[in-house]
Amino acid sequence: MQLSIIKIGGNIIDDETRLAVFLDTFAAVPGKKILVHGGGKLATKVAEGLGIRQQLVDGRRVTDGETLKVVTMVYAGTINKNIVAQLQARGCDAIGLTGADGNSILAHKRVHPEIDYGFVGDVDSVNAAFLTGLLMLEKTIVFAPVTHDGKGLLLNTNADTIAQELATGLGRSFDVSLVYSFEKSGVLRDAGDESSVIGRIGPSEYQELKAKRLIFAGMIPKLDNAFAALRSGVGKVIIGRAEELPLLLAGKAGTTIVNE
Amino acid sequence: MQLSIIKIGGNIIDDETRLAVFLDTFAAVPGKKILVHGGGKLATKVAEGLGIRQQLVDGRRVTDGETLKVVTMVYAGTINKNIVAQLQARGCDAIGLTGADGNSILAHKRVHPEIDYGFVGDVDSVNAAFLTGLLMLEKTIVFAPVTHDGKGLLLNTNADTIAQELATGLGRSFDVSLVYSFEKSGVLRDAGDESSVIGRIGPSEYQELKAKRLIFAGMIPKLDNAFAALRSGVGKVIIGRAEELPLLLAGKAGTTIVNE
């Protein structure tokens, strides 16, 4: 059975008009589907409003206790529930989840030898039985980038990783297409030229482009996640522009990541 | 099949220790169950922090657009997800919902001849099929007091009413016990004396006590909801102290509302 897992980034969430257009397209995708959304700038705005200072350690954002509260509010509250309500308005029977809901994604607080990232989660397991149960009830699942550790702690978790872990965990029961949608048309040969989309990319070409520094920094974790998903049994991974979702799923736009 | 629907108020949510004790007790309740939580003072605190002024019309709180954003953040985000994570930590497989999730509670924006309450919802219907599906997947449902209108709008909705509507909607398929838990031991003969709990109360005694002004103001909507639930087929309604939950469910504490 087909399952589309689509990740949208913060830049779409932050733009009401673009989000509405995307949700029209997403609601129209046939069959079983999961949407994973990132955070966007609203969390920073709310944190600033509440006088919570963003902690940076070596240039990396740290999720301290106060920031975790804001992340939970904004990602699992505002953003998730608004997307769910807007999908319902489009006739798409959506349900919003964090990893704590139905114990759907179990994670642990990141352990790092040098940096304390705070309340950031690295995923341990996906509850495929429960998620399959929801999909069988004809629900479209909308995931906020928040997981839990099973001991009462919520954890801020990278949305790209969640999408990849869901694809992997559900890849055993479904024929999964994983789409990372973002602001570019796909993996570009020339970062400045939107028409230079690479249609297909395999691991050897990826290594080559990375060695030549032709792949820009933000792309690397996305591609690493994509190849990890493919290695663990996901059928298809596509990277491209959110507004082109139907074309991406049909393999007519974006970059398709292949294993060979 | 038995189903316990338990409503807890804001005063428990605001007190971390009391909430933890309550959740221990709730997690231990056997069988199928639903928790409905109110809002608490956190929403007011966050609204103040963000410089959003609480609008009052004739002494009644109004949910304007900015307040709705805070309600969605705090009720559906912070409070709901923390309760879910804490129940998971207690081995209780919880899932948090608003009325938008799975289209579980459909409402409309309140229409009132004199007062514009803003984004406040009056419930139209409960999606019993979906909620039954979740209960059959062995999930414990945790409801935030937020519904939707099916047209993309989230609505702030009274938690007592949600509990009653759920009890009514699910009363056709389950043998429902509805518990309104709060800070008092039950319906009191003497508001100042916690030992004056009325063990059972029927509609005629209720009318009598109300006429004599022996029922305090905050109790009246709770009792009206309770009788409405009984009239529409709910098996049992109990009002009492949250910490006494097992005794309330066993009929050994609190006030049992009867149809007699």
Side-chain angles (χ1 to χ4, degrees):
Chain A
M1 198 179 285
Q2 277 284 339
L3 170 66
S4 306
I5 300 180
I6 292 142
K7 189 254 163 176
I8 50 163
N11 58 314
I12 291 177
I13 291 159
D14 288 332
D15 182 334
E16 217 171 293
T17 316
R18 282 185 72 190
L19 179 61
V21 170
F22 170 79
L23 293 176
D24 285 343
T25 318
F26 177 80
V29 170
K32 306 209 177 296
K33 55 201 173 187
I34 298 179
L35 178 63
V36 182
H37 63 80
K41 289 190 189 110
L42 183 61
T44 313
K45 222 174 101 182
V46 169
E48 279 170 5
L50 293 172
I52 297 165
R53 277 208 201 149
Q54 207 85 95
Q55 268 200 59
L56 292 171
V57 174
D58 292 341
R60 283 167 187 275
R61 227 188 272 187
V62 169
T63 308
D64 60 11
E66 289 302 306
T67 304
L68 179 67
K69 281 183 195 164
V70 173
V71 159
T72 307
M73 276 181 185
V74 174
Y75 299 175
T78 320
I79 297 173
N80 192 266
K81 296 315 165 196
N82 275 301
I83 289 177
V84 167
Q86 288 188 49
L87 285 174
Q88 289 286 351
R90 287 161 172 83
C92 171
D93 193 358
I95 175 169
L97 299 180
T98 66
D101 297 292
N103 192 25
S104 52
I105 307 178
L106 202 57
H108 63 269
K109 193 166 173 287
R110 182 172 298 169
V111 182
H112 190 279
E114 287 132 41
I115 304 162
D116 179 3
Y117 286 92
F119 298 102
V120 166
D122 286 325
V123 175
D124 291 318
S125 61
V126 162
N127 188 342
F130 169 54
L131 297 174
T132 303
L134 280 183
L135 293 167
M136 291 307 164
L137 290 172
E138 302 302 334
K139 302 294 154 185
T140 290
I141 301 169
V142 179
F143 258 106
V146 173
T147 60
H148 80 139
D149 73 347
K151 294 167 197 152
L153 211 60
L154 293 164
L155 293 163
N156 188 6
T157 305
N158 181 276
D160 281 4
T161 309
I162 288 183
Q164 178 255 304
E165 294 280 355
L166 288 171
T168 303
L170 292 163
R172 287 166 209 119
S173 325
F174 293 91
D175 181 9
V176 175
S177 295
L178 171 60
V179 176
Y180 287 112
S181 75
F182 70 144
E183 68 281 8
K184 301 260 173 194
S185 301
V187 181
L188 307 177
R189 260 181 221 292
D190 173 356
D193 178 8
E194 282 290 316
S195 72
S196 70
V197 177
I198 304 172
R200 284 165 70 91
I201 185 171
S204 58
E205 193 175 3
Y206 171 46
Q207 291 310 328
E208 214 174 288
L209 288 170
K210 204 159 72 166
K212 289 183 186 161
R213 298 182 185 277
L214 287 173
I215 299 231
F216 66 97
M219 226 30 244
I220 294 173
K222 261 187 227 307
L223 283 166
D224 285 341
N225 273 326
F227 283 110
L230 283 177
R231 277 193 306 272
S232 56
V234 173
K236 202 156 82 170
V237 184
I238 308 142
I239 297 185
R241 192 180 294 279
E243 287 88 342
E244 295 186 315
L245 187 56
L247 292 174
L248 296 177
L249 285 166
K252 289 176 182 162
T255 301
T256 300
I257 320 297
V258 291
N259 239 338
E260 38 71 276
Chain B
M1 198 178 286
Q2 277 284 339
L3 170 66
S4 306
I5 300 180
I6 292 141
K7 189 256 164 174
I8 51 162
N11 58 316
I12 290 178
I13 291 160
D14 288 331
D15 183 333
E16 217 171 294
T17 315
R18 283 185 72 191
L19 179 62
V21 171
F22 170 79
L23 292 177
D24 286 343
T25 318
F26 178 81
V29 169
K32 306 208 178 296
K33 54 200 173 187
I34 297 179
L35 179 63
V36 182
H37 63 81
K41 290 191 189 110
L42 184 60
T44 313
K45 223 174 101 182
V46 169
E48 279 169 5
L50 293 172
I52 298 164
R53 276 205 202 154
Q54 208 86 92
Q55 268 200 61
L56 292 171
V57 173
D58 292 340
R60 284 168 185 272
R61 224 187 274 187
V62 169
T63 307
D64 60 11
E66 288 303 305
T67 304
L68 178 69
K69 281 183 195 166
V70 173
V71 159
T72 307
M73 275 181 185
V74 174
Y75 299 174
T78 319
I79 298 174
N80 192 267
K81 296 316 165 195
N82 275 300
I83 289 177
V84 168
Q86 288 188 49
L87 285 174
Q88 289 286 351
R90 287 160 171 85
C92 171
D93 193 358
I95 175 169
L97 300 181
T98 65
D101 297 293
N103 192 25
S104 51
I105 307 177
L106 203 58
H108 63 269
K109 194 166 174 287
R110 181 172 298 169
V111 181
H112 190 281
E114 286 132 40
I115 304 162
D116 179 5
Y117 286 92
F119 298 102
V120 165
D122 286 326
V123 175
D124 291 317
S125 62
V126 161
N127 187 343
F130 169 54
L131 297 173
T132 303
L134 280 183
L135 293 167
M136 291 306 165
L137 290 172
E138 303 302 334
K139 301 296 153 183
T140 290
I141 301 169
V142 180
F143 259 105
V146 173
T147 61
H148 80 138
D149 72 350
K151 294 168 197 152
L153 211 60
L154 294 164
L155 293 163
N156 187 7
T157 306
N158 182 275
D160 281 4
T161 309
I162 287 183
Q164 177 255 305
E165 294 279 358
L166 289 171
T168 304
L170 292 162
R172 287 166 208 121
S173 325
F174 293 92
D175 181 9
V176 175
S177 295
L178 171 61
V179 176
Y180 287 112
S181 75
F182 70 144
E183 68 282 6
K184 302 259 173 196
S185 300
V187 181
L188 307 177
R189 262 183 220 289
D190 172 356
D193 178 6
E194 282 289 316
S195 71
S196 70
V197 177
I198 304 171
R200 284 166 70 91
I201 186 170
S204 58
E205 193 175 3
Y206 171 46
Q207 292 309 329
E208 214 175 285
L209 289 170
K210 205 160 69 169
K212 289 183 187 161
R213 296 184 186 276
L214 286 173
I215 298 230
F216 65 96
M219 225 33 241
I220 293 173
K222 261 186 227 308
L223 283 166
D224 285 341
N225 273 326
F227 283 110
L230 283 176
R231 276 194 305 274
S232 55
V234 173
K236 202 157 82 169
V237 185
I238 307 143
I239 297 186
R241 194 180 292 280
E243 287 88 342
E244 296 185 314
L245 186 57
L247 292 174
L248 296 178
L249 285 166
K252 290 176 181 161
T255 301
T256 301
I257 321 297
V258 291
N259 243 338
E260 41 73 277

